[in-house]
Amino acid sequence: MVGYEIETQVEKDAKLHDFYRWGAELVSRLRKQGHWADITDPMSGMALFTASGPSLYPDVEGAEILLRYNQVNIGACFVLSHPQWGTNVYPGTAFTLAPIDVVKSILNDMQASGFS
């Protein structure tokens, strides 16, 4: 999703709002089961549903370190390069203390109900 054309900006905004909607649903479902969860705003790195601390979370750097994805320097910033989709991605991060089986179950339920 690299580019400065109006179409690219519109798509980036749409994907950002998709992530907010998806993330809010994920956090809500996890919290209903008694688990702490939050997502970070990919634009600012700040937590969206809990008080932010003194540090911001860099989604691109996080994906590089934790998932071993590559970064691409486009001049003004770095963008993520996904192994399959290249730079046609928009990174977003969710955090939770829930057990992995709970997370997987919720994600499967969300996908089955139309959240992707």
Side-chain angles (χ1 to χ4, degrees), residues 18-39:
D18 287 348
F19 175 68
Y20 289 155
R21 184 179 58 82
W22 177 89
E25 182 69 17
L26 174 64
V27 168
S28 173
R29 290 180 186 213
L30 285 164
R31 288 184 174 186
K32 282 180 185 173
Q33 292 190 22
H35 303 288
W36 177 87
D38 205 341
I39 61 171

Side-chain angles (χ1 to χ4, degrees), residues 9 12-13 15-17 19-20 40-46 48 56-59 90-93:
Q9 297 305 317
K12 285 180 187 178
D13 287 345
K15 296 302 180 195
L16 180 62
H17 290 288
F19 175 68
Y20 289 155
T40 56
D41 179 352
M43 299 296 292
S44 70
M46 296 177 69
L48 288 178
L56 303 177
Y57 182 77
D59 290 291
Y90 199 113
T93 304

